[in-house]
Amino acid sequence: MTTRTLLAALQQHEYNWPRFSQWYQRHQGQDPRIEPADWTVKLRLVSAISSTLFFVPQLVALRLALGLLAPAEGTLRQGWQTLARLKLAWLRRRGLVVLGIAGSYAKTSTKHIMAYLLEEQLSVCATPKSINTPLGISQVIWRQLKSDHQLLIIELGEYYQGDVAQLAALVRPDYGVVTPVGRQHLERMGSLDQVAATIGELVEYFAGRPDRLAVHQANRGWFGGEGSHVQSDTHPGKGSQSYVWYGEGDGDVEGDGDVDSGKADGDGDAPPDWTVNRPEVSARGTEFVVRQAAGEKDNRASHKSWQVFTPLYGAHQAINTLPSFWLAGRLGLDQAAVAKRCRTLPYLERRHYPTFAENEVLILDNSYNTNPDSWPASRRLLEQLPAERRIVITAGFLELGDQAETLNRQLGRDLAGVAEYLGLIETPWADAICQGFTAAGGQASHVATAANQAQLLESLRATIIPKSLILFEGGWQEQYG
């Protein structure tokens, strides 16, 4: 492999050597070509140091470079965090409000949606792209947060236990949002309980201020009160009904999903405070009704509702707008203006991002990631959007540990119900997806496999007819060529 490919893979695995080593062993003997997503200072230093160690094998040189950087990196990280804390303390005295978002998925979409919907009424700074680590967040605060910003929206990443608590202690959010808990990063976390416990660190942070935390309805079983699965001495789950809940209203907006959700059972009967109702998806986008229930949390005697349209596809994206309506109300902003601004929401990169090709072919790029709990939203779109033929290109579910084969086989069975043709990126679980697809009635001759998306598109070109719908579903495809 080329040095650039190794550097790119190392960066994609967040410089975690055991995980990078596993990737290398899986691809040894192959020749994937990957370019680094961003030539950060750290990546440049790793490259420079390892290049001076030309007399040892490539992997040894990279490992030594990381080891030599570690002491300086720790000092640098602490320095950035100190600067960030000082700047936040100064800006809070000038009225800055900080909101933190945690969850397995939908964090980045919720963040970008909120920044856009509120920036017409507030000066907003949000961490760019998917930056969600202490160093990245600290650098954004120091470099991009200005004295005239009124709202800072921060995505809190969870890779290992304690991550969310560390970030909450760093930025001390005034408000919080918890998006769905799901089977993301299972290889690192070890179990779904551990994932939920780590995300629940933000719930614990707001234990004394429950009205300042909006929690997705899918998390009722984790944080929903007595009997919920995530409990501790500081947050035993009691009284958590006073959190602000948001999610689906009347009708099925998420799709039931044949992939077992793995979510904890909880008090799912209590209606959310904020709901999306009657979503209708078309080639134009999604129409829906936002409803705020009557209740005692803000002394409302009756509910409020807004008719909303967004160009974004799917009820799941409609639900991602709800924290914006909630926060607008908390900050005294015009919620009707938020509803109006939804009409011009820009498409979100690699999150069902549409390309309208010739012959009325619609391409949906949902390649940022996928998991067994977010996949039903994509399946729902395949069912709802009109098409003469449906083609799905995927690498399957990643980071699922010993559940990978079972859940990817189930993915294949699901795909057989919504897609006529299937393109599989060559991964250790591609065979499992194919087996599930054919076992559920899909035709083996309609399955193509290749090293990357470009090769798959070429293989499937002849199957694309006018009014086809092509979905790229998940998968960090850069890792496979």
Side-chain angles (χ1 to χ4, degrees), residues 122-430:
L122 286 177
S123 178
V124 179
C125 176
T127 49
K129 298 182 180 178
S130 296
I131 290 176
N132 57 20
T133 63
L135 179 58
I137 290 170
S138 297
Q139 290 176 333
V140 169
I141 291 171
W142 184 252
R143 292 171 173 168
Q144 299 182 25
L145 185 63
K146 307 301 181 184
S147 60
D148 59 347
H149 280 130
Q150 298 166 287
L151 174 64
L152 173 62
I153 307 172
I154 297 177
E155 183 177 335
L156 310 178
E158 82 293 336
Y159 299 101
Y160 301 98
Q161 186 175 10
D163 283 355
V164 172
Q166 178 188 5
L167 290 168
L170 171 65
V171 302
R172 296 172 49 236
D174 303 290
Y175 296 93
V177 174
V178 180
T179 65
V181 171
R183 284 163 290 187
Q184 195 92 324
H185 311 311
L186 282 186
E187 282 186 354
R188 308 181 207 184
M189 293 287 196
S191 69
L192 187 57
D193 284 345
Q194 194 64 54
V195 173
T198 303
I199 292 169
E201 291 163 6
L202 186 62
V203 179
E204 291 197 21
Y205 181 84
F206 283 98
R209 302 170 294 162
D211 59 322
R212 288 176 171 251
L213 183 69
V215 185
H216 195 288
Q217 175 78 350
N219 297 328
R220 286 276 190 183
W222 297 113
F223 316 120
E226 196 75 54
S228 58
H229 284 54
V230 176
Q231 301 184 12
S232 71
D233 292 338
T234 58
H235 175 64
K238 296 180 181 179
S240 63
Q241 296 302 323
S242 58
Y243 293 125
V244 178
W245 297 94
Y246 71 97
E248 63 184 78
D250 59 331
D252 176 18
V253 300
E254 285 280 6
D256 51 8
D258 289 336
V259 176
D260 175 25
S261 70
K263 295 172 185 171
D265 294 327
D267 181 10
D269 295 328
D273 303 285
W274 287 88
T275 54
V276 160
N277 303 274
R278 299 189 297 279
E280 296 183 5
V281 179
S282 69
R284 292 177 55 245
T286 307
E287 294 189 49
F288 56 100
V289 175
V290 168
R291 187 176 189 273
Q292 181 186 15
E296 299 179 357
K297 293 177 185 176
D298 55 2
N299 299 314
R300 279 175 296 102
S302 61
H303 76 272
K304 292 182 179 180
S305 63
W306 297 266
Q307 184 71 42
V308 182
F309 169 79
T310 176
L312 304 184
Y313 287 114
H316 62 292
Q317 293 290 27
I319 289 172
N320 290 340
T321 69
L322 294 178
S324 300
F325 283 89
W326 163 70
L327 186 64
R330 289 300 308 245
L331 299 182
L333 305 180
D334 184 353
Q335 292 164 313
V338 173
K340 183 178 179 180
R341 192 160 170 80
C342 284
R343 301 175 191 170
T344 56
L345 264 169
Y347 297 122
L348 302 173
E349 185 179 359
R350 296 176 67 188
R351 292 162 176 87
H352 296 119
Y353 188 101
T355 298
F356 303 94
E358 60 184 11
N359 296 320
E360 297 183 70
V361 172
L362 174 60
I363 302 170
L364 287 183
D365 179 3
N366 193 44
S367 63
Y368 179 71
N369 65 34
T370 187
N371 65 65
D373 304 305
S374 65
W375 152 246
S378 291
R379 191 185 70 176
R380 180 83 171 181
L381 284 181
L382 288 169
E383 295 169 339
Q384 291 175 322
L385 290 170
E388 293 297 320
R389 177 169 290 172
R390 293 169 177 81
I391 302 167
V392 176
I393 295 174
T394 184
F397 301 141
L398 307 180
E399 290 195 282
L400 292 180
D402 57 8
Q403 298 184 40
E405 185 172 349
T406 299
L407 292 173
N408 277 291
R409 184 175 289 107
Q410 180 62 61
L411 172 63
R413 287 193 286 268
D414 275 5
L415 287 165
V418 291
E420 290 84 9
Y421 287 85
L422 182 58
L424 297 178
I425 295 172
E426 293 170 352
T427 66
W429 42 87

Side-chain angles (χ1 to χ4, degrees), residues 57-121:
Q58 281 181 311
L59 289 189
V60 175
L62 290 173
R63 187 73 181 93
L64 289 172
L66 287 177
L68 291 170
L69 278 176
E73 185 183 6
T75 301
L76 185 64
R77 186 182 295 111
Q78 289 301 318
W80 277 110
Q81 290 182 32
T82 299
L83 291 173
R85 287 191 180 95
L86 291 172
K87 188 169 185 179
L88 280 177
W90 172 60
L91 291 178
R92 282 181 192 280
R93 290 196 291 270
R94 300 172 65 95
L96 178 71
V97 174
V98 180
L99 178 136
I101 303 176
S104 294
Y105 56 95
K107 295 189 298 292
T108 305
S109 295
T110 301
K111 175 185 67 179
H112 288 313
I113 287 171
M114 181 179 287
Y116 181 82
L117 293 181
L118 301 187
E119 68 182 4
E120 192 175 53
Q121 302 182 64

Side-chain angles (χ1 to χ4, degrees), residues 422-474:
L422 182 58
L424 297 178
I425 295 172
E426 293 170 352
T427 66
W429 42 87
D431 285 345
I433 300 173
C434 185
Q435 290 166 10
F437 183 77
T438 55
Q443 298 183 43
S445 60
H446 287 190
V447 180
T449 58
N452 55 52
Q453 289 183 350
Q455 292 178 14
L456 281 172
L457 274 177
E458 188 61 35
S459 299
L460 294 167
R461 185 178 300 278
T463 69
I464 301 173
I465 62 175
K467 298 184 180 180
S468 288
L469 172 58
I470 304 172
L471 171 67
F472 291 89
E473 179 67 11

